[in-house]
Amino acid sequence: MKFGATITDAEGLRLTQEERDLFRQMNPFGFILFARNIENADQVRALCDDFREAVGRNCPITIDQEGGRVQRLRAPLAREWLPPLDHVTRAGDQAERAMYLRYRLIADELFSLGIDSNCAPMVDVARSDTHAFLKNRCYASDPEQISKVGRAVAKGHLDGGVLPVVKHMPGHGRSTLDSHYDLPHVDLSLDELDSSDFAPFRALNDLPMGMTAHLVYDQIDPQPATISATMMGVIRDKIGFGGLIMTDDIGMKALSGTPADVSRQAIQAGCDVVLHCNGSFADRAAVMEAAGEMTDQAQARAERALAMRKPPQQLDIPAAEAELSALMGGQVYER
């Protein structure tokens, strides 16, 4: 059975009957959770069960749990992590191991609640003028270091039974605007970008899933990357990414047009899955209809991604926490 080419969300803490009926009919590939969907551990597990029961399969359920400002799960359900850039800086030359342990523990938190995907690693290259909404979510300013840390983050997820989603392809670090509200432009040549911003994504082009950036790369194509067939070609051919490509949230104000229109444009451009968040019930239904079923190529990539979900490896949590604390000089969490 073909998956619907969408990842969508729910309005509240449990599915309504109307949502159940819609998801059963449209069979979205997966779901994403937000703070409004989270009350306590039993409720989150029950909501994840609702999603999977509605589509009749073990669909992926993802979340944004980077740490720092972007973490949907908060105490007491999860640890309150330092921002990623602060974590890497504090860990110094032990950053790869420290970030592996951080995300291995995050994966344990997620998996215990029924969540088996996370929108990380974020391997955008931090720069002096990177917008504040993104800056301290980055790992470093050196593409080679970012690639190594990103690989450690991905491995921490996979060892914990959680699928990583590498973002924001092909690179968001040069954005001086917040794409939640504005459409950023980058005016550099393909060759300049290829040797810098694209490099971490090329190093991680074997990961199961990736997320697009809502940016315009003016010297390559006038359309935002999410709806640009040219930029999708760059991601597939120049960067060599072979995994499932999902859009960033099409409800962000960087993109113009109705959610349904943007969905059609993204699929036509070559995205495999449309991520649609925080919309009305009517908008969610319209997006699922517009995105339709996955293409044969997208379905194959989706099945390969799901095949990378493995049972978590055994984790000695006290030992992992103690090692991480030692690597970080004692400050691991927000105070």
Side-chain angles (χ1 to χ4, degrees), residues 25 30 68 127 211 214 231 233 240 247 322:
Q25 176 188 356
R127 302 188 181 278
M211 177 187 288
H214 296 332
M231 293 310 303
T247 71

Short mmCIF file of all heavy atoms in Angstrom, two decimals, residues 25 30 68 127 211 214 231 233 240 247 322:
data_model
loop_
_atom_site.label_atom_id
_atom_site.label_comp_id
_atom_site.label_asym_id
_atom_site.label_seq_id
_atom_site.Cartn_x
_atom_site.Cartn_y
_atom_site.Cartn_z
N GLN A 25 -8.13 7.39 6.06
CA GLN A 25 -8.42 7.53 4.64
C GLN A 25 -7.17 7.92 3.84
O GLN A 25 -6.93 7.37 2.76
CB GLN A 25 -9.50 8.60 4.44
CG GLN A 25 -9.81 8.89 2.97
CD GLN A 25 -10.75 10.07 2.81
OE1 GLN A 25 -11.22 10.65 3.79
NE2 GLN A 25 -11.01 10.45 1.57
N GLY A 30 3.81 9.77 8.05
CA GLY A 30 4.15 9.84 9.46
C GLY A 30 3.55 11.07 10.11
O GLY A 30 2.75 11.80 9.50
N GLY A 68 18.31 23.01 23.97
CA GLY A 68 18.30 24.46 23.93
C GLY A 68 16.89 24.98 23.72
O GLY A 68 15.92 24.47 24.28
N ARG A 127 27.75 31.19 11.02
CA ARG A 127 28.59 32.32 10.58
C ARG A 127 28.32 33.52 11.46
O ARG A 127 27.37 33.54 12.25
CB ARG A 127 28.30 32.64 9.11
CG ARG A 127 28.53 31.44 8.22
CD ARG A 127 28.44 31.75 6.75
NE ARG A 127 28.65 30.53 5.99
CZ ARG A 127 29.83 29.99 5.72
NH1 ARG A 127 30.93 30.61 6.13
NH2 ARG A 127 29.94 28.88 5.03
N MET A 211 15.73 17.17 5.51
CA MET A 211 14.73 18.23 5.47
C MET A 211 15.27 19.41 4.67
O MET A 211 16.44 19.78 4.81
CB MET A 211 14.38 18.68 6.89
CG MET A 211 13.40 19.84 6.97
SD MET A 211 13.19 20.45 8.67
CE MET A 211 12.26 19.10 9.39
N HIS A 214 14.02 26.60 3.52
CA HIS A 214 13.22 27.59 2.78
C HIS A 214 14.08 28.82 2.49
O HIS A 214 13.91 29.89 3.10
CB HIS A 214 12.00 28.01 3.61
CG HIS A 214 11.02 26.92 3.88
ND1 HIS A 214 10.83 25.85 3.03
CD2 HIS A 214 10.13 26.75 4.91
CE1 HIS A 214 9.87 25.07 3.53
NE2 HIS A 214 9.44 25.60 4.66
N MET A 231 17.10 23.08 -7.31
CA MET A 231 17.75 22.84 -6.02
C MET A 231 17.59 21.39 -5.58
O MET A 231 18.50 20.84 -4.95
CB MET A 231 17.20 23.80 -4.96
CG MET A 231 17.55 25.26 -5.20
SD MET A 231 19.32 25.57 -5.50
CE MET A 231 20.07 24.87 -4.04
N GLY A 233 17.65 18.98 -7.62
CA GLY A 233 18.71 18.34 -8.40
C GLY A 233 20.07 18.52 -7.76
O GLY A 233 20.90 17.60 -7.77
N GLY A 240 24.52 14.45 -3.46
CA GLY A 240 24.45 13.00 -3.49
C GLY A 240 23.55 12.39 -2.44
O GLY A 240 23.72 11.21 -2.08
N THR A 247 9.99 18.27 3.21
CA THR A 247 10.08 19.71 3.28
C THR A 247 10.21 20.16 4.72
O THR A 247 9.84 19.44 5.65
CB THR A 247 8.81 20.37 2.71
OG1 THR A 247 7.72 20.16 3.63
CG2 THR A 247 8.44 19.82 1.34
N ALA A 322 27.33 10.07 33.54
CA ALA A 322 28.58 10.39 34.24
C ALA A 322 29.69 10.72 33.25
O ALA A 322 30.47 11.68 33.46
CB ALA A 322 28.98 9.22 35.13
#
